[in-house]
Amino acid sequence: MSKNDAGVRAVARLGRVFEKRLGDEGMSLPQFRVLAFLSEGEWAASKVAEWLAVSRPSLTSLVDGLVEQGWVERREHPTDRRSVLHFLTDAGRTRLAEATEMLSEGLDGLLEHLDDDERARAEDGLALLQTAMHRHDEAMVTS
């Protein structure tokens, strides 16, 4: 098994662990992803759907639930009446912070099984993966 194979399997398994922890707290992983994306700014539905790699109808259903929870708000676009922007509310920011903290604690629980050097390398690797994903997202938004 290559390093990439092991990494893919680890990320998939970690995703499942996060999905379970979030579910226990009444949030889905897709909801968490939307809140995290919206924490970067306001976005039209088309960009959110593109970033999540879901259809517009799927996004509408997902966002409907977030609006019901009071975590997301829809507003008319100031210059394009055909477009609606999605905003993270204060309650959404609070909920995202709580969920992020819970997931961070879960990750800490996994990483405590590594020695100090291994843990530092794993944390560096996760930070680099986040950087790569952020750069990829920026490239997708600007293209």
Side-chain angles (χ1 to χ4, degrees), residues 35-136:
L35 295 180
F37 185 67
L38 293 178
S39 73
E40 302 290 325
E42 60 198 48
W43 296 98
S46 59
K47 283 296 181 189
V48 180
E50 180 181 320
W51 183 78
L52 289 173
V54 299
S55 68
R56 292 278 305 270
S58 294
L59 178 69
T60 298
S61 176
L62 180 59
V63 171
D64 284 348
L66 295 171
V67 169
E68 283 180 27
Q69 293 288 336
W71 300 339
V72 170
E73 186 177 306
R74 291 181 176 112
R75 296 182 195 158
E76 289 183 18
H77 192 286
T79 59
D80 182 358
R81 293 187 322 177
R82 297 168 298 155
S83 184
V84 173
L85 296 176
H86 297 79
F87 292 82
L88 197 58
T89 64
D90 288 341
R93 286 191 191 288
T94 298
R95 188 66 179 111
L96 176 61
E98 293 168 350
T100 300
E101 178 66 24
M102 180 199 52
L103 294 179
S104 182
E105 289 170 1
L107 184 58
D108 284 343
L110 293 172
L111 295 178
E112 72 185 14
H113 297 284
L114 301 174
D115 65 36
D116 290 344
D117 183 56
E118 291 169 327
R119 182 182 178 120
R121 289 191 345 244
E123 289 170 341
D124 288 346
L126 289 170
L128 283 172
L129 185 58
Q130 174 64 13
T131 298
M133 288 187 291
H134 185 71
R135 289 177 185 167
H136 171 55

